[in-house]
Amino acid sequence: MAFSPNLAIRRLYSDVSKKVRSQKYVLTKYFQGEPKKSDFKIVEEELPELKDGEILTEAEYLSVDPYMRAYMIAYKLPTDMIGGQVAKVIESKNKNIPVGTYVCGSFGWRTHTITSGQVNNTFDLPITVLPDLSPYPVSLALGLLGMPGNTAYFGLKEICQPKQGETIVITGAAGAVGSHVGQIGKILGCRVVGFAGTDAKCEYLEKELGFDRAFNYKTCNIRAALKDGAPNRVDCYFDNVGGEISSTIMSYMNKYGRIAVCGSISSYNDTTPPKVTIVQPAIVFKELKMEGFVVNRWTDRWQEGIDMNLKWLKEGKLKYHEKVYHGFDNMVDALVGILRGENTGKAVVKVK
Ligand code: NDP
């Protein structure tokens, strides 16, 4: 249930009566290459008493996502670090959201939040009040049942529009979005081929998630892998990484193929953008359709994606894996970890 399309995090307070103290990460230097702890400072602030309609939340799981590496350049420094979190309501002056409820919101890298439901940023997604997810962990609201899950659901269905029997290729295939895209592809009756960065990830994709084939892009010949894994060539390409591998895959597509450009993580840490093989000849002669998207496009259908993914999860058609980091102090290590490929599935940080 969405409780409001708008979100505001009230940042600085002076009331000393409650003495709830929040910690937050403030970015003080733009990233150069990999993010570093010294790019941030952790700041403590005291929160005031709640006003009518507000809730006070305590973070349980914070999300680390590749967009955090890519987006911070758009902010004027110093700035509070952005990001989603699952938090428990520990005080409430909102009769619809009692104490003990779990919410998911774009509160940033902080331990405690007071929210009144106003948007302060176009990247923010609606706050959602979580239903009882047991026996599943509430952290799924940051992954399969949240932003990455909706990225997979809407990105594949709306942009690629796969038909039964078609072949879908996915890069970044063992990550939060990619592993989910492949499973939806199988639900829709497609042949699914993934590229991921270790043999263990590829084995997981084939043996656990039911991908037809998975290849280690660090050790294989991409063209040979495509010939082997996609004998009928490629109808849909879900691009999470960009770079040369994407040019190669696009040159191996069928006429009228569709490409969903979701991200380009292969270059997020680069200081100069890579030069890759031209893609226009393949796009013209195969009459391909290539479309970028940001998942916020479907904010008005947000619950549809979550409901469908939850249904598939309960039916045993979707599986998930989480890489759980521990401790608020380890946020930067976790962010660097996903950029280095430490995670299979969704990476989250358990705050305590
Ligand atoms: P992941 O869980 O996939 O984590 C990142 C993964 O990227 C790593 O595990 C690593 O896996 C892979 N990776 C890192 N460096 C490279 C590289 N040089 N080349 C290829 N793969 C690399 O993250 P998400 O699933 O959350 O995100 C996947 C993509 O989707 C990202 O590009 C992200 O920005 C984008 N995204 C876009 C959204 C949108 O609205 N458009 C929303 C959400 C995500 P490996 O071991 O396989 O290298």
Side-chain angles (χ1 to χ4, degrees), residues 3 11 40 49 103 126 151 209 223 286 293:
F3 108 77
R11 281 163 208 266
F40 298 90
E49 268 190 83
V103 296
T151 304
L209 301 190
R223 188 159 279 278
K286 292 166 191 288
F293 71 94

PDB file of all heavy atoms in Angstrom, residues 3 11 40 49 103 126 151 209 223 286 293:
ATOM      1  N   PHE A   3       1.628   4.939   0.915  1.00  0.00           N
ATOM      2  CA  PHE A   3       0.972   5.814   1.880  1.00  0.00           C
ATOM      3  C   PHE A   3       0.981   7.253   1.415  1.00  0.00           C
ATOM      4  O   PHE A   3       0.097   8.018   1.740  1.00  0.00           O
ATOM      5  CB  PHE A   3       1.557   5.606   3.279  1.00  0.00           C
ATOM      6  CG  PHE A   3       2.427   6.697   3.840  1.00  0.00           C
ATOM      7  CD1 PHE A   3       1.887   7.847   4.353  1.00  0.00           C
ATOM      8  CD2 PHE A   3       3.796   6.545   3.879  1.00  0.00           C
ATOM      9  CE1 PHE A   3       2.685   8.828   4.915  1.00  0.00           C
ATOM     10  CE2 PHE A   3       4.594   7.507   4.430  1.00  0.00           C
ATOM     11  CZ  PHE A   3       4.036   8.660   4.952  1.00  0.00           C
ATOM     12  N   ARG A  11      15.687  17.433   7.984  1.00  0.00           N
ATOM     13  CA  ARG A  11      17.084  17.132   8.199  1.00  0.00           C
ATOM     14  C   ARG A  11      17.664  17.617   9.539  1.00  0.00           C
ATOM     15  O   ARG A  11      18.330  16.878  10.225  1.00  0.00           O
ATOM     16  CB  ARG A  11      17.899  17.676   7.049  1.00  0.00           C
ATOM     17  CG  ARG A  11      17.780  16.739   5.875  1.00  0.00           C
ATOM     18  CD  ARG A  11      18.198  17.347   4.597  1.00  0.00           C
ATOM     19  NE  ARG A  11      17.456  16.685   3.537  1.00  0.00           N
ATOM     20  CZ  ARG A  11      17.871  15.658   2.834  1.00  0.00           C
ATOM     21  NH1 ARG A  11      19.036  15.196   2.993  1.00  0.00           N
ATOM     22  NH2 ARG A  11      17.113  15.093   1.946  1.00  0.00           N
ATOM     23  N   PHE A  40      33.421  10.553   2.234  1.00  0.00           N
ATOM     24  CA  PHE A  40      32.255  10.794   3.097  1.00  0.00           C
ATOM     25  C   PHE A  40      32.690  11.262   4.467  1.00  0.00           C
ATOM     26  O   PHE A  40      33.801  10.991   4.910  1.00  0.00           O
ATOM     27  CB  PHE A  40      31.481   9.488   3.323  1.00  0.00           C
ATOM     28  CG  PHE A  40      30.902   8.865   2.089  1.00  0.00           C
ATOM     29  CD1 PHE A  40      31.635   7.945   1.344  1.00  0.00           C
ATOM     30  CD2 PHE A  40      29.608   9.160   1.682  1.00  0.00           C
ATOM     31  CE1 PHE A  40      31.092   7.343   0.215  1.00  0.00           C
ATOM     32  CE2 PHE A  40      29.060   8.566   0.562  1.00  0.00           C
ATOM     33  CZ  PHE A  40      29.800   7.655  -0.174  1.00  0.00           C
ATOM     34  N   GLU A  49      10.817  16.220  18.390  1.00  0.00           N
ATOM     35  CA  GLU A  49       9.549  15.491  18.576  1.00  0.00           C
ATOM     36  C   GLU A  49       8.779  15.469  17.275  1.00  0.00           C
ATOM     37  O   GLU A  49       8.901  16.371  16.448  1.00  0.00           O
ATOM     38  CB  GLU A  49       8.705  16.207  19.638  1.00  0.00           C
ATOM     39  CG  GLU A  49       8.947  15.677  21.036  1.00  0.00           C
ATOM     40  CD  GLU A  49       7.932  16.238  21.999  1.00  0.00           C
ATOM     41  OE1 GLU A  49       6.818  15.684  22.060  1.00  0.00           O
ATOM     42  OE2 GLU A  49       8.254  17.233  22.666  1.00  0.00           O
ATOM     43  N   VAL A 103       8.456   0.137   6.768  1.00  0.00           N
ATOM     44  CA  VAL A 103       8.267   0.952   5.561  1.00  0.00           C
ATOM     45  C   VAL A 103       9.528   0.883   4.718  1.00  0.00           C
ATOM     46  O   VAL A 103      10.615   0.584   5.216  1.00  0.00           O
ATOM     47  CB  VAL A 103       7.951   2.441   5.902  1.00  0.00           C
ATOM     48  CG1 VAL A 103       6.643   2.564   6.646  1.00  0.00           C
ATOM     49  CG2 VAL A 103       9.087   3.084   6.667  1.00  0.00           C
ATOM     50  N   PRO A 126       8.013   6.347  -4.195  1.00  0.00           N
ATOM     51  CA  PRO A 126       7.041   6.475  -3.113  1.00  0.00           C
ATOM     52  C   PRO A 126       7.423   5.629  -1.905  1.00  0.00           C
ATOM     53  O   PRO A 126       8.019   4.563  -2.063  1.00  0.00           O
ATOM     54  CB  PRO A 126       5.744   5.955  -3.738  1.00  0.00           C
ATOM     55  CG  PRO A 126       6.076   5.473  -5.084  1.00  0.00           C
ATOM     56  CD  PRO A 126       7.477   5.777  -5.411  1.00  0.00           C
ATOM     57  N   THR A 151      12.352  -2.875 -11.745  1.00  0.00           N
ATOM     58  CA  THR A 151      13.190  -2.596 -12.920  1.00  0.00           C
ATOM     59  C   THR A 151      13.179  -3.801 -13.857  1.00  0.00           C
ATOM     60  O   THR A 151      13.031  -3.655 -15.084  1.00  0.00           O
ATOM     61  CB  THR A 151      14.643  -2.294 -12.475  1.00  0.00           C
ATOM     62  OG1 THR A 151      14.623  -1.211 -11.555  1.00  0.00           O
ATOM     63  CG2 THR A 151      15.528  -1.952 -13.652  1.00  0.00           C
ATOM     64  N   LEU A 209      18.603 -21.016 -11.006  1.00  0.00           N
ATOM     65  CA  LEU A 209      17.571 -20.106 -11.535  1.00  0.00           C
ATOM     66  C   LEU A 209      16.980 -20.556 -12.873  1.00  0.00           C
ATOM     67  O   LEU A 209      16.050 -19.932 -13.367  1.00  0.00           O
ATOM     68  CB  LEU A 209      18.122 -18.682 -11.670  1.00  0.00           C
ATOM     69  CG  LEU A 209      18.646 -18.041 -10.376  1.00  0.00           C
ATOM     70  CD1 LEU A 209      18.927 -16.553 -10.596  1.00  0.00           C
ATOM     71  CD2 LEU A 209      17.678 -18.221  -9.207  1.00  0.00           C
ATOM     72  N   ARG A 223      31.439 -13.798 -28.827  1.00  0.00           N
ATOM     73  CA  ARG A 223      30.761 -14.207 -30.065  1.00  0.00           C
ATOM     74  C   ARG A 223      30.552 -15.730 -30.097  1.00  0.00           C
ATOM     75  O   ARG A 223      29.481 -16.222 -30.446  1.00  0.00           O
ATOM     76  CB  ARG A 223      31.564 -13.723 -31.280  1.00  0.00           C
ATOM     77  CG  ARG A 223      30.866 -13.931 -32.600  1.00  0.00           C
ATOM     78  CD  ARG A 223      31.419 -13.021 -33.676  1.00  0.00           C
ATOM     79  NE  ARG A 223      30.872 -11.684 -33.598  1.00  0.00           N
ATOM     80  CZ  ARG A 223      29.682 -11.313 -34.095  1.00  0.00           C
ATOM     81  NH1 ARG A 223      28.915 -12.182 -34.689  1.00  0.00           N
ATOM     82  NH2 ARG A 223      29.260 -10.083 -33.988  1.00  0.00           N
ATOM     83  N   LYS A 286      19.345  -4.510 -39.076  1.00  0.00           N
ATOM     84  CA  LYS A 286      18.450  -5.473 -38.396  1.00  0.00           C
ATOM     85  C   LYS A 286      17.187  -4.773 -37.891  1.00  0.00           C
ATOM     86  O   LYS A 286      16.339  -5.403 -37.251  1.00  0.00           O
ATOM     87  CB  LYS A 286      19.184  -6.145 -37.238  1.00  0.00           C
ATOM     88  CG  LYS A 286      20.294  -7.074 -37.729  1.00  0.00           C
ATOM     89  CD  LYS A 286      21.225  -7.455 -36.599  1.00  0.00           C
ATOM     90  CE  LYS A 286      22.463  -8.148 -37.122  1.00  0.00           C
ATOM     91  NZ  LYS A 286      22.205  -9.503 -37.595  1.00  0.00           N
ATOM     92  N   PHE A 293      15.668   3.430 -20.213  1.00  0.00           N
ATOM     93  CA  PHE A 293      14.555   3.694 -19.283  1.00  0.00           C
ATOM     94  C   PHE A 293      15.081   3.899 -17.878  1.00  0.00           C
ATOM     95  O   PHE A 293      16.163   3.431 -17.520  1.00  0.00           O
ATOM     96  CB  PHE A 293      13.550   2.537 -19.301  1.00  0.00           C
ATOM     97  CG  PHE A 293      14.068   1.281 -18.647  1.00  0.00           C
ATOM     98  CD1 PHE A 293      13.805   1.019 -17.307  1.00  0.00           C
ATOM     99  CD2 PHE A 293      14.824   0.370 -19.361  1.00  0.00           C
ATOM    100  CE1 PHE A 293      14.297  -0.126 -16.698  1.00  0.00           C
ATOM    101  CE2 PHE A 293      15.322  -0.774 -18.764  1.00  0.00           C
ATOM    102  CZ  PHE A 293      15.057  -1.022 -17.429  1.00  0.00           C
TER     103      PHE A 293
END
